[in-house]
Amino acid sequence: MLGSGFIGRFYADSLHGQRSRDRVVAIYARREESARKFADDYGCSFFSTDMEEVIAHPDVDMVCIALPNNLHEAAVMLSAKHKKAVVCTKPLGRNADEALRMMQAVEEAGIFAGYLEDLCYTPKFLKAMQTVNSGGLGRILWAKSRETHPGPHSEWFWDKEQAGGGCILDLGCHCIEIARNFIGKDVRPVEVMCWAATQVKPIDAEDHAIALVKYENGAIGQFEVSWTFRGGMDLRDEVMGTEGTIWINNFLRTGFEMFTTGKGANYVAEKAESATGWLFPVGDEVNDLGYNHMFTDMFQAAEAGREPAETFYDGYVVNAVIDAAYRSAQTKQWEPVQLPVWRGKEGLTQESTLVDYDESHYLIKEEITHDGRHKLILKDKATGRILERDLV
């Protein structure tokens, strides 16, 4: 494990608990006391403040990167150098150039690499994807994802140079990849329109942003991200297709509510702002946030010699979309997604919206009204005229 902080501990809790045969054997941290404490807490046989020493350790089979964004590339390059399988927390890079170099390095080294995008492994998301993949929602038209909370835990997130950006990079990476999965990861994102601002926090990066991502097949992705939201962590997804809609609430309002005066109050849930009053705990954060399913997929994929569901290539595409969002926030215009390496479908066009009713008409809508009429709204194919017809 590279990194002994908040996310490294979440990761360790998951991978020690899920399959019962995976262990963190070595820990790297920038401060010796942090490395020693993590080693004591998780039973690591080796700790060090030398990153390469940990990566090269003979007992290490896989490197898990849980470091600040500015250290991801160096950690990946060392993993490639020592031919160690590697999994990296989100975002893969601070920008698409970094992500592309990392992707190329692991591919040239011939090592396993996985992108730790946990919110694409939550139980609700996986269930939703089963419905989408089976065609239960028809053709996907719109995928929207929202992640908002009062801000991250560690100081480096708030430093634009170390983090590479603000809430777009920190939270938008989740939302973009969620939408890509629903729309189709082989469908090219072509351009982005983004609004971003620093509304509250005394930082150089943005703390609030909203964006639209246009896809080559005509589908639209949307993300809403903020470090200014008060009231905890709000994780919501929505996907709409021609045959149905799915709404997902992963965290804030999940059917578990409690009231307490605060006597004996303790940890409630990630990003919770209070331990008194009406609270919204999460039953099993490690599982509900996708960590268990994520690491199971990563380890099983590595053992089977296949790619995981989320790869370094996916992280690279996400970084490219984020780069376009940052450009759009500056220019106030649609900005193209620059993908010099694209491995999906080519030349897609928007599918026809025309639905045949009969030889002479297209169907616009069919409904039963409050007065019991079974009504059709049709379009005449020859004249273009819109008309109503009652079914008897």
Side-chain angles (χ1 to χ4, degrees):
M1 183 69 68
L2 306 183
S4 62
F6 179 84
I7 194 64
R9 287 176 171 271
F10 254 130
Y11 287 170
D13 288 341
S14 174
L15 59 88
H16 277 192
Q18 176 68 354
R19 301 200 315 167
S20 301
R21 64 179 187 267
D22 310 303
R23 302 299 300 175
V24 180
V25 296
I27 173 67
Y28 158 78
R30 290 168 291 170
R31 295 184 297 274
E32 182 175 346
E33 60 271 24
S34 299
R36 186 185 301 276
K37 178 71 162 57
F38 189 102
D40 289 343
D41 289 346
Y42 291 97
C44 303
S45 57
F46 181 77
F47 68 88
S48 177
T49 57
D50 184 320
M51 186 190 301
E52 186 166 10
E53 189 177 20
V54 170
I55 291 172
H57 194 281
D59 291 343
V60 170
D61 300 310
M62 180 181 287
V63 176
C64 181
I65 301 171
L67 294 167
N69 299 344
N70 61 315
L71 301 178
H72 290 186
E73 185 174 7
V76 168
M77 295 307 174
L78 286 172
S79 300
K81 173 184 174 181
H82 292 280
K83 303 292 185 181
K84 296 293 180 78
V86 60
V87 291
C88 183
T89 192
K90 61 80 194 174
L92 185 57
R94 289 177 293 179
N95 52 60
D97 289 339
E98 280 189 359
L100 182 57
R101 290 194 296 268
M102 286 185 261
M103 182 187 79
Q104 291 170 335
V106 297
E107 290 179 352
E108 290 169 6
I111 59 174
F112 176 88
Y115 179 49
L116 299 181
E117 178 41 82
D118 59 290
L119 294 188
C120 290
Y121 288 96
T122 68
K124 292 176 183 177
F125 175 85
L126 295 175
K127 183 68 173 180
M129 282 303 304
Q130 289 178 7
T131 300
V132 170
N133 290 335
S134 70
L137 266 60
R139 177 164 53 92
I140 302 304
L141 306 173
W142 176 41
K144 173 184 175 182
S145 185
R146 167 186 171 92
E147 180 171 2
T148 63
H149 57 60
H153 303 284
S154 301
E155 81 287 348
W156 65 264
F157 281 98
W158 305 94
D159 183 319
K160 189 174 181 180
E161 175 58 29
Q162 291 185 74
C167 62
I168 294 177
L169 195 63
D170 179 36
L171 309 180
C173 60
H174 288 305
C175 300
I176 291 164
E177 187 63 357
I178 288 167
R180 284 189 69 229
N181 273 271
F182 285 136
I183 291 168
K185 291 203 288 187
D186 57 353
V187 180
R188 186 173 189 138
V190 292
E191 56 182 348
V192 180
M193 172 64 78
C194 180
W195 167 87
T198 309
Q199 292 188 310
V200 175
K201 309 295 185 182
I203 57 174
D204 295 330
E206 77 289 346
D207 61 16
H208 194 176
I210 301 170
L212 299 175
V213 182
K214 192 182 298 182
Y215 287 78
E216 194 173 39
N217 67 348
I220 194 79
Q222 180 178 340
F223 69 75
E224 302 173 2
V225 293
S226 181
W227 286 344
T228 67
F229 176 78
R230 303 308 304 269
M233 184 159 70
D234 188 12
L235 300 177
R236 282 182 280 165
D237 306 322
E238 181 176 346
V239 55
M240 181 183 76
T242 55
E243 303 299 326
T245 299
I246 291 174
W247 292 338
I248 301 173
N249 192 327
N250 274 312
F251 214 78
L252 191 58
R253 304 301 291 269
T254 60
F256 184 2
E257 303 179 14
M258 73 178 185
F259 177 87
T260 174
T261 62
K263 184 176 182 179
N266 207 328
Y267 179 81
V268 176
E270 182 182 345
K271 308 293 193 306
E273 290 202 275
S274 175
T276 63
W278 279 107
L279 305 173
F280 311 102
V282 178
D284 184 349
E285 283 186 73
V286 169
N287 192 64
D288 291 345
L289 286 173
Y291 297 125
N292 287 343
H293 294 86
M294 177 178 70
F295 280 110
T296 297
D297 178 48
M298 293 295 160
F299 294 141
Q300 289 180 345
E303 291 164 356
R306 64 168 173 83
E307 285 192 335
E310 293 293 325
T311 66
F312 272 30
Y313 173 73
D314 293 315
Y316 155 68
V317 174
V318 168
N319 269 126
V321 175
I322 289 171
D323 287 355
Y326 278 122
R327 290 194 299 271
S328 176
Q330 293 295 318
T331 66
K332 315 300 183 186
Q333 298 178 357
W334 286 96
E335 288 289 338
V337 179
Q338 297 172 1
L339 283 168
V341 177
W342 171 248
R343 296 171 179 171
K345 295 175 181 176
E346 298 280 1
L348 294 179
T349 56
Q350 184 169 340
E351 295 184 40
S352 172
T353 61
L354 304 176
V355 179
D356 284 325
Y357 176 70
D358 56 28
E359 292 184 357
S360 301
H361 300 91
Y362 296 117
L363 175 66
I364 296 177
K365 187 180 181 184
E366 180 177 357
E367 65 178 344
I368 296 176
T369 65
H370 71 285
D371 57 355
R373 295 167 58 203
H374 192 169
K375 186 175 73 174
L376 298 172
I377 301 178
L378 305 172
K379 180 178 180 179
D380 189 287
K381 293 181 178 180
T383 66
R385 179 169 169 262
I386 308 296
L387 55 98
E388 288 187 15
R389 178 184 296 175
D390 285 347
L391 290 178
V392 179

